[in-house]
Amino acid sequence: MSLLSNIVGFSLFGLAARFGQLGIQKRNLFDNMGGHALSMAAFGYAGYWAYRWDQRAAVLLADKRAQLAARRQPQEGAEES
């Protein structure tokens, strides 16, 4: 999933959360656009953070798999002898 789609998806979820919040309070949905922008920015940043976390986790997992493969290599050679 690309960075842009992750940010846009989280931002739209933030807008939906804001609409849900105002709907529960029975307030006008289009009264304060600054609140919508703030909610979308906060959730968009959360999407950016989640994307970076996923990328970092993939790198850490690849490194750990390489370490495990390197440890198993000498053990497999010793077992065959």
Side-chain angles (χ1 to χ4, degrees):
M1 185 173 352
S2 71
L3 176 62
L4 182 64
S5 66
N6 209 13
I7 291 174
V8 169
F10 272 75
S11 293
L12 290 176
F13 182 79
L15 182 62
R18 177 74 176 158
F19 280 155
Q21 174 191 22
L22 293 176
I24 288 171
Q25 295 175 354
K26 296 186 179 176
R27 292 174 44 197
N28 185 6
L29 297 180
F30 301 105
D31 189 25
N32 184 8
M33 291 296 174
H36 298 325
L38 182 64
S39 179
M40 289 179 71
F43 276 84
Y45 179 71
Y48 173 78
W49 181 75
Y51 177 80
R52 291 294 176 199
W53 180 347
D54 187 43
Q55 295 299 313
R56 179 70 179 139
V59 169
L60 290 174
L61 285 173
D63 289 345
K64 189 55 120 172
R65 285 187 183 122
Q67 288 174 1
L68 289 173
R71 284 185 197 162
R72 289 179 182 156
Q73 197 74 7
Q75 290 175 356
E76 289 175 358
E79 289 174 2
E80 292 175 1
S81 303

